[in-house]
Amino acid sequence: MSDLRRRIGAMHRRDVTVAWAFVIGLWFAIFFVALTTWNLAPNGVARAMLLFAGTVILVFNTAAIRAMLRHYREDRDFMYGMDLKFLDASREAKG
């Protein structure tokens, strides 16, 4: 049973790492786009609207990933246990 818990923990840590890497990448991408397109905005009002929209995207996406990770943590044993069960069965079937 401890091997199963170890494998579940490893899968969960990998998923958490990938999710936060995505969030960090999204933040960098939004900042890059804002910086490179700053001069294309016709005036200050357009720039303010674009900054506000980018901020909303970042806040909502970050909150959604955080909520997803909380759900993963709550149901970690069930979700990953089932995944591992099917992965092991698939390996055994292949021989």
Side-chain angles (χ1 to χ4, degrees):
M1 192 66 171
S2 67
D3 182 54
L4 179 62
R5 290 225 180 261
R6 183 187 56 77
R7 291 172 67 197
I8 287 172
M11 287 180 78
H12 181 255
R13 279 189 302 279
R14 185 188 65 227
D15 286 351
V16 168
T17 301
V18 169
W20 284 119
F22 172 78
V23 169
I24 291 167
L26 178 65
W27 279 74
F28 279 125
I30 294 289
F31 283 126
F32 175 77
V33 169
L35 288 175
T36 57
T37 62
W38 188 254
N39 293 328
L40 298 175
N43 55 41
V45 173
R47 287 181 181 142
M49 287 174 50
L50 291 172
L51 284 176
F52 178 75
T55 301
V56 168
I57 289 170
L58 290 174
V59 168
F60 281 129
N61 275 289
T62 302
I65 296 292
R66 193 169 178 207
M68 178 190 73
L69 292 175
R70 188 175 338 115
H71 176 69
Y72 277 17
R73 186 176 52 243
E74 291 168 357
D75 293 336
R76 172 175 62 190
D77 293 338
F78 173 73
M79 289 187 315
Y80 294 111
M82 189 175 294
D83 283 347
L84 289 171
K85 175 184 171 184
F86 288 120
L87 284 171
D88 291 346
S90 176
R91 269 193 216 115
E92 286 180 22
K94 288 180 182 177

